[in-house]
Structure formats: structure tokens, C-alpha cells
Amino acid sequence: MNLKDKLINISNFPKEGVEFKDITSLLRDKEAFKECIIQMANYCKGKNVDMIVGAEARGFLMGAPLAYEIGSGFIPVRKTGKLPRETISHEYALEYGTDKLEIHKDDISKGDKVLIVDDLLATGGTALASIKMVEELGGEVVGVIFLIELTELKGIEKLKGYDVKSIVKF
């Protein structure tokens, strides 16, 4: 199955000049969604993943079912002020601005093997922020996986030195 065919492009969203990749069409197709999670799970083989980290909000949509599929824990990385316990944070650049993410300080234990999951690799800022927080807490990033990579934005360059996989590339 070609998962690229299950995605819809939306021009000028969320602002003029941005070509948004809408994954909701893939999510509503039970066979395509299942195939997406299977491909991600195949990437995880041999990595001995303890925890999957997914960034708000679409990283939750990929990360939680992937964690279930491979039998690991899932840790949500959220925007500022959304987590109830003590957190650490990291500011990052977006394709069209800046933002800040947080993770609970006690969600990662020293030596945990962590896989970072998100729907989209654009500039790499969100993934790098997640990586930095995991490493600050003593976790080992064993891989980073995306459903979509926008190759022209060269976000993968920010992730040099990490094992990175994208299911679909534009």
C-alpha cells in the first residue's frame, strides 16, 4: 500500500505559503493506519525500546498505538502548562515561528531506550527539542521515526548522529 496516496495536501494552511500535509485521511482509513503503525513497528525491531516519546498533538496519534504495538511505554511531550507534575522544557524553531515543549522530569529514567515519534519532519525543531529533553533526563535516543518528511526543508540535518526513518517523503 502506498501511504503517500492516503495523505491530502492543503495549500496555505496554517498560513500563506505553507503546504500542509493532512494525515486525518490516513487515520480514518483503518488499513492505511494499521500499515503505518506496522511499518513503524518494523523499524523498532532490535532497538529494545523502553519508552516512546510523542510530541503534542499528532505525535500522540502515531506514538500511542506504536507503543501499544511494540509493548513499550508512551510519554507525551506537551506544550507549556499542560503537564501537572514538575517538568523540564526546551524551546525550538518551527517552520513558521517558535514554540516550547515540556516533559515530566520523572518520565525518563537514566538508561531508558527511547524512540522519538512524530507525524512530520519539517525543520527538525520539534524532534530535536524532544531529543534534548530525553537526553537531559538520562535517556538514550535509539531512533527517531516520522510518517512524513518534507525533504526540501532539510530538517534531517538537525538530527545528524541519530538513527532517523521517514515512512513517506515529499
Side-chain angles (χ1 to χ4, degrees):
M1 172 183 309
N2 185 351
L3 296 179
K4 197 174 199 177
D5 293 341
K6 302 296 181 177
L7 303 167
I8 297 174
N9 294 324
I10 309 293
S11 296
N12 301 315
F13 182 84
K15 70 179 222 173
E16 189 72 30
V18 174
E19 184 79 12
F20 185 79
K21 305 300 182 198
D22 183 7
I23 68 167
T24 61
S25 51
L26 181 143
L27 295 173
R28 76 172 178 241
D29 181 324
K30 65 183 176 183
E31 295 303 320
F33 189 29
K34 183 176 182 179
E35 178 62 24
C36 172
I37 298 305
I38 288 169
Q39 287 188 35
M40 288 182 164
N42 286 338
Y43 167 75
C44 295
K45 288 182 180 169
K47 294 188 183 304
N48 300 311
V49 176
D50 297 308
M51 298 290 172
I52 288 184
V53 166
E56 188 169 338
R58 292 183 308 269
F60 299 175
L61 299 173
M62 301 287 113
L66 179 58
Y68 177 81
E69 179 69 22
I70 68 168
S72 73
F74 177 75
I75 299 169
V77 169
R78 307 241 15 222
K79 295 183 180 173
T80 303
K82 302 281 186 169
L83 293 171
R85 299 189 315 272
E86 189 176 0
T87 62
I88 63 167
S89 64
H90 191 84
E91 188 170 281
Y92 64 101
L94 293 165
E95 181 181 354
Y96 42 84
T98 63
D99 212 339
K100 187 189 280 190
L101 292 175
E102 294 182 335
I103 190 172
H104 282 133
K105 272 188 161 182
D106 60 353
D107 276 349
I108 304 284
S109 297
K110 186 174 176 145
D112 278 349
K113 294 184 182 308
V114 179
L115 181 79
I116 308 293
V117 179
D118 210 346
D119 71 318
L120 179 74
L121 171 57
T123 63
T126 304
L128 189 58
S130 295
I131 288 168
K132 296 297 183 191
M133 290 186 296
V134 165
E135 291 178 340
E136 182 178 334
L137 294 173
E140 175 191 350
V141 176
V142 296
V144 186
I145 190 163
F146 303 93
L147 170 58
I148 302 166
E149 179 181 343
L150 303 178
T151 57
E152 71 181 31
L153 296 178
K154 299 180 181 10
I156 198 160
E157 292 177 7
K158 285 186 182 169
L159 306 178
K160 282 187 178 170
Y162 296 97
D163 184 4
V164 180
K165 166 88 174 155
S166 301
I167 304 298
V168 174
K169 296 182 181 185
F170 286 94

mmCIF file of all heavy atoms in Angstrom, residues 8-24 58 79 94-96 119-120 122 150 153:
data_model
loop_
_atom_site.group_PDB
_atom_site.id
_atom_site.type_symbol
_atom_site.label_atom_id
_atom_site.label_comp_id
_atom_site.label_asym_id
_atom_site.label_seq_id
_atom_site.Cartn_x
_atom_site.Cartn_y
_atom_site.Cartn_z
ATOM 1 N N ILE A 8 -3.564 14.059 2.231
ATOM 2 C CA ILE A 8 -4.134 15.163 1.456
ATOM 3 C C ILE A 8 -3.300 16.415 1.689
ATOM 4 O O ILE A 8 -2.952 16.741 2.828
ATOM 5 C CB ILE A 8 -5.609 15.422 1.872
ATOM 6 C CG1 ILE A 8 -6.466 14.195 1.550
ATOM 7 C CG2 ILE A 8 -6.161 16.667 1.186
ATOM 8 C CD1 ILE A 8 -7.898 14.290 2.057
ATOM 9 N N ASN A 9 -2.966 17.120 0.611
ATOM 10 C CA ASN A 9 -2.241 18.391 0.696
ATOM 11 C C ASN A 9 -3.229 19.540 0.798
ATOM 12 O O ASN A 9 -4.183 19.606 0.024
ATOM 13 C CB ASN A 9 -1.368 18.612 -0.542
ATOM 14 C CG ASN A 9 -0.246 17.612 -0.639
ATOM 15 O OD1 ASN A 9 0.334 17.211 0.364
ATOM 16 N ND2 ASN A 9 0.060 17.184 -1.841
ATOM 17 N N ILE A 10 -2.969 20.443 1.750
ATOM 18 C CA ILE A 10 -3.807 21.630 1.926
ATOM 19 C C ILE A 10 -2.898 22.851 1.747
ATOM 20 O O ILE A 10 -1.995 23.084 2.550
ATOM 21 C CB ILE A 10 -4.456 21.678 3.330
ATOM 22 C CG1 ILE A 10 -5.157 20.362 3.674
ATOM 23 C CG2 ILE A 10 -5.374 22.883 3.459
ATOM 24 C CD1 ILE A 10 -6.361 20.040 2.832
ATOM 25 N N SER A 11 -3.142 23.621 0.711
ATOM 26 C CA SER A 11 -2.321 24.802 0.423
ATOM 27 C C SER A 11 -2.678 25.956 1.350
ATOM 28 O O SER A 11 -3.838 26.140 1.717
ATOM 29 C CB SER A 11 -2.517 25.244 -1.026
ATOM 30 O OG SER A 11 -2.055 24.238 -1.893
ATOM 31 N N ASN A 12 -1.642 26.713 1.718
ATOM 32 C CA ASN A 12 -1.779 27.941 2.505
ATOM 33 C C ASN A 12 -2.426 27.719 3.876
ATOM 34 O O ASN A 12 -3.218 28.517 4.348
ATOM 35 C CB ASN A 12 -2.548 28.999 1.717
ATOM 36 C CG ASN A 12 -1.836 29.318 0.425
ATOM 37 O OD1 ASN A 12 -0.614 29.496 0.405
ATOM 38 N ND2 ASN A 12 -2.577 29.360 -0.664
ATOM 39 N N PHE A 13 -2.062 26.606 4.517
ATOM 40 C CA PHE A 13 -2.534 26.321 5.867
ATOM 41 C C PHE A 13 -1.344 25.873 6.707
ATOM 42 O O PHE A 13 -0.564 25.043 6.249
ATOM 43 C CB PHE A 13 -3.604 25.220 5.859
ATOM 44 C CG PHE A 13 -4.162 24.931 7.227
ATOM 45 C CD1 PHE A 13 -5.188 25.705 7.743
ATOM 46 C CD2 PHE A 13 -3.645 23.911 8.014
ATOM 47 C CE1 PHE A 13 -5.693 25.452 9.011
ATOM 48 C CE2 PHE A 13 -4.136 23.655 9.285
ATOM 49 C CZ PHE A 13 -5.164 24.431 9.777
ATOM 50 N N PRO A 14 -1.132 26.377 7.896
ATOM 51 C CA PRO A 14 -1.968 27.305 8.655
ATOM 52 C C PRO A 14 -1.737 28.767 8.289
ATOM 53 O O PRO A 14 -2.376 29.644 8.852
ATOM 54 C CB PRO A 14 -1.550 27.043 10.100
ATOM 55 C CG PRO A 14 -0.130 26.624 10.004
ATOM 56 C CD PRO A 14 -0.024 25.877 8.705
ATOM 57 N N LYS A 15 -0.816 29.013 7.346
ATOM 58 C CA LYS A 15 -0.628 30.380 6.863
ATOM 59 C C LYS A 15 -0.192 30.349 5.412
ATOM 60 O O LYS A 15 0.192 29.307 4.880
ATOM 61 C CB LYS A 15 0.364 31.150 7.741
ATOM 62 C CG LYS A 15 1.794 30.714 7.656
ATOM 63 C CD LYS A 15 2.676 31.563 8.549
ATOM 64 C CE LYS A 15 3.959 31.906 7.844
ATOM 65 N NZ LYS A 15 4.789 32.827 8.552
ATOM 66 N N GLU A 16 -0.254 31.488 4.780
ATOM 67 C CA GLU A 16 0.090 31.643 3.372
ATOM 68 C C GLU A 16 1.484 31.084 3.081
ATOM 69 O O GLU A 16 2.435 31.326 3.809
ATOM 70 C CB GLU A 16 0.045 33.135 2.997
ATOM 71 C CG GLU A 16 0.181 33.418 1.521
ATOM 72 C CD GLU A 16 -1.046 33.036 0.711
ATOM 73 O OE1 GLU A 16 -2.164 33.087 1.251
ATOM 74 O OE2 GLU A 16 -0.880 32.690 -0.463
ATOM 75 N N GLY A 17 1.573 30.278 2.031
ATOM 76 C CA GLY A 17 2.854 29.728 1.606
ATOM 77 C C GLY A 17 3.198 28.373 2.184
ATOM 78 O O GLY A 17 4.156 27.733 1.764
ATOM 79 N N VAL A 18 2.421 27.892 3.168
ATOM 80 C CA VAL A 18 2.682 26.585 3.782
ATOM 81 C C VAL A 18 1.820 25.539 3.078
ATOM 82 O O VAL A 18 0.628 25.742 2.866
ATOM 83 C CB VAL A 18 2.380 26.608 5.299
ATOM 84 C CG1 VAL A 18 2.509 25.210 5.898
ATOM 85 C CG2 VAL A 18 3.304 27.587 6.004
ATOM 86 N N GLU A 19 2.430 24.428 2.716
ATOM 87 C CA GLU A 19 1.729 23.281 2.117
ATOM 88 C C GLU A 19 1.557 22.232 3.219
ATOM 89 O O GLU A 19 2.481 21.481 3.528
ATOM 90 C CB GLU A 19 2.542 22.720 0.951
ATOM 91 C CG GLU A 19 1.878 21.605 0.202
ATOM 92 C CD GLU A 19 0.817 22.076 -0.789
ATOM 93 O OE1 GLU A 19 0.735 23.282 -1.067
ATOM 94 O OE2 GLU A 19 0.064 21.224 -1.264
ATOM 95 N N PHE A 20 0.379 22.198 3.830
ATOM 96 C CA PHE A 20 0.101 21.334 4.975
ATOM 97 C C PHE A 20 -0.204 19.920 4.504
ATOM 98 O O PHE A 20 -0.983 19.721 3.580
ATOM 99 C CB PHE A 20 -1.091 21.901 5.750
ATOM 100 C CG PHE A 20 -1.410 21.182 7.019
ATOM 101 C CD1 PHE A 20 -0.668 21.410 8.171
ATOM 102 C CD2 PHE A 20 -2.462 20.276 7.079
ATOM 103 C CE1 PHE A 20 -0.965 20.752 9.360
ATOM 104 C CE2 PHE A 20 -2.766 19.616 8.265
ATOM 105 C CZ PHE A 20 -2.015 19.847 9.402
ATOM 106 N N LYS A 21 0.410 18.931 5.158
ATOM 107 C CA LYS A 21 0.147 17.521 4.867
ATOM 108 C C LYS A 21 -0.867 17.021 5.890
ATOM 109 O O LYS A 21 -0.550 16.857 7.062
ATOM 110 C CB LYS A 21 1.429 16.689 4.947
ATOM 111 C CG LYS A 21 2.552 17.183 4.067
ATOM 112 C CD LYS A 21 2.176 17.184 2.611
ATOM 113 C CE LYS A 21 3.353 17.631 1.764
ATOM 114 N NZ LYS A 21 2.977 18.045 0.431
ATOM 115 N N ASP A 22 -2.091 16.775 5.443
ATOM 116 C CA ASP A 22 -3.186 16.358 6.322
ATOM 117 C C ASP A 22 -3.174 14.845 6.471
ATOM 118 O O ASP A 22 -3.411 14.109 5.504
ATOM 119 C CB ASP A 22 -4.508 16.841 5.744
ATOM 120 C CG ASP A 22 -5.693 16.523 6.625
ATOM 121 O OD1 ASP A 22 -5.496 16.041 7.759
ATOM 122 O OD2 ASP A 22 -6.828 16.749 6.175
ATOM 123 N N ILE A 23 -2.902 14.367 7.703
ATOM 124 C CA ILE A 23 -2.850 12.927 7.957
ATOM 125 C C ILE A 23 -4.205 12.350 8.346
ATOM 126 O O ILE A 23 -4.339 11.138 8.459
ATOM 127 C CB ILE A 23 -1.804 12.581 9.034
ATOM 128 C CG1 ILE A 23 -2.215 13.113 10.405
ATOM 129 C CG2 ILE A 23 -0.429 13.047 8.611
ATOM 130 C CD1 ILE A 23 -1.412 12.554 11.557
ATOM 131 N N THR A 24 -5.225 13.193 8.544
ATOM 132 C CA THR A 24 -6.510 12.671 9.007
ATOM 133 C C THR A 24 -7.134 11.716 7.994
ATOM 134 O O THR A 24 -7.859 10.796 8.381
ATOM 135 C CB THR A 24 -7.506 13.796 9.366
ATOM 136 O OG1 THR A 24 -7.761 14.599 8.213
ATOM 137 C CG2 THR A 24 -6.967 14.658 10.491
ATOM 138 N N ARG A 58 0.002 15.589 17.120
ATOM 139 C CA ARG A 58 -0.035 14.480 16.163
ATOM 140 C C ARG A 58 0.981 13.393 16.487
ATOM 141 O O ARG A 58 0.811 12.246 16.069
ATOM 142 C CB ARG A 58 0.108 15.016 14.734
ATOM 143 C CG ARG A 58 -1.134 15.827 14.322
ATOM 144 C CD ARG A 58 -1.084 16.327 12.901
ATOM 145 N NE ARG A 58 0.115 17.036 12.558
ATOM 146 C CZ ARG A 58 0.299 18.349 12.657
ATOM 147 N NH1 ARG A 58 -0.672 19.108 13.102
ATOM 148 N NH2 ARG A 58 1.436 18.902 12.306
ATOM 149 N N LYS A 79 2.903 21.039 25.123
ATOM 150 C CA LYS A 79 3.164 22.475 25.127
ATOM 151 C C LYS A 79 3.123 22.981 26.566
ATOM 152 O O LYS A 79 2.565 22.336 27.446
ATOM 153 C CB LYS A 79 2.163 23.181 24.238
ATOM 154 C CG LYS A 79 2.366 22.755 22.787
ATOM 155 C CD LYS A 79 1.473 23.463 21.832
ATOM 156 C CE LYS A 79 1.794 22.940 20.432
ATOM 157 N NZ LYS A 79 0.909 23.420 19.428
ATOM 158 N N LEU A 94 9.986 26.445 14.693
ATOM 159 C CA LEU A 94 9.050 25.804 13.782
ATOM 160 C C LEU A 94 9.318 26.289 12.367
ATOM 161 O O LEU A 94 10.060 27.256 12.162
ATOM 162 C CB LEU A 94 7.607 26.180 14.136
ATOM 163 C CG LEU A 94 7.044 25.667 15.450
ATOM 164 C CD1 LEU A 94 5.775 26.425 15.787
ATOM 165 C CD2 LEU A 94 6.761 24.188 15.336
ATOM 166 N N GLU A 95 8.654 25.668 11.431
ATOM 167 C CA GLU A 95 8.721 26.112 10.037
ATOM 168 C C GLU A 95 8.237 27.559 9.915
ATOM 169 O O GLU A 95 8.697 28.307 9.084
ATOM 170 C CB GLU A 95 7.843 25.176 9.203
ATOM 171 C CG GLU A 95 7.813 25.463 7.733
ATOM 172 C CD GLU A 95 6.906 24.492 6.990
ATOM 173 O OE1 GLU A 95 6.391 23.537 7.610
ATOM 174 O OE2 GLU A 95 6.716 24.720 5.795
ATOM 175 N N TYR A 96 7.326 27.968 10.822
ATOM 176 C CA TYR A 96 6.726 29.300 10.739
ATOM 177 C C TYR A 96 6.640 29.980 12.098
ATOM 178 O O TYR A 96 5.654 30.611 12.422
ATOM 179 C CB TYR A 96 5.341 29.205 10.082
ATOM 180 C CG TYR A 96 4.528 28.030 10.554
ATOM 181 C CD1 TYR A 96 3.785 28.085 11.718
ATOM 182 C CD2 TYR A 96 4.532 26.843 9.845
ATOM 183 C CE1 TYR A 96 3.055 27.007 12.167
ATOM 184 C CE2 TYR A 96 3.801 25.751 10.287
ATOM 185 C CZ TYR A 96 3.057 25.845 11.448
ATOM 186 O OH TYR A 96 2.345 24.758 11.888
ATOM 187 N N ASP A 119 4.495 12.826 13.464
ATOM 188 C CA ASP A 119 3.889 12.643 12.149
ATOM 189 C C ASP A 119 4.725 13.272 11.051
ATOM 190 O O ASP A 119 4.714 12.802 9.932
ATOM 191 C CB ASP A 119 2.463 13.207 12.119
ATOM 192 C CG ASP A 119 2.423 14.722 12.151
ATOM 193 O OD1 ASP A 119 3.202 15.329 12.924
ATOM 194 O OD2 ASP A 119 1.608 15.310 11.420
ATOM 195 N N LEU A 120 5.480 14.343 11.366
ATOM 196 C CA LEU A 120 6.104 15.136 10.316
ATOM 197 C C LEU A 120 7.483 15.637 10.712
ATOM 198 O O LEU A 120 7.666 16.187 11.800
ATOM 199 C CB LEU A 120 5.202 16.348 10.019
ATOM 200 C CG LEU A 120 5.691 17.323 8.955
ATOM 201 C CD1 LEU A 120 5.541 16.720 7.567
ATOM 202 C CD2 LEU A 120 4.923 18.621 9.043
ATOM 203 N N ALA A 122 9.776 18.452 9.438
ATOM 204 C CA ALA A 122 9.871 19.645 8.588
ATOM 205 C C ALA A 122 11.254 20.262 8.822
ATOM 206 O O ALA A 122 12.225 19.872 8.187
ATOM 207 C CB ALA A 122 8.742 20.611 8.902
ATOM 208 N N LEU A 150 9.434 16.267 4.922
ATOM 209 C CA LEU A 150 9.479 17.288 3.873
ATOM 210 C C LEU A 150 10.959 17.536 3.570
ATOM 211 O O LEU A 150 11.621 18.317 4.245
ATOM 212 C CB LEU A 150 8.788 18.575 4.338
ATOM 213 C CG LEU A 150 7.328 18.425 4.779
ATOM 214 C CD1 LEU A 150 6.769 19.761 5.259
ATOM 215 C CD2 LEU A 150 6.471 17.853 3.661
ATOM 216 N N LEU A 153 12.985 20.990 3.262
ATOM 217 C CA LEU A 153 13.242 21.815 4.443
ATOM 218 C C LEU A 153 14.486 21.370 5.204
ATOM 219 O O LEU A 153 14.913 22.038 6.143
ATOM 220 C CB LEU A 153 12.009 21.827 5.361
ATOM 221 C CG LEU A 153 10.772 22.475 4.749
ATOM 222 C CD1 LEU A 153 9.598 22.394 5.706
ATOM 223 C CD2 LEU A 153 11.039 23.918 4.355
#
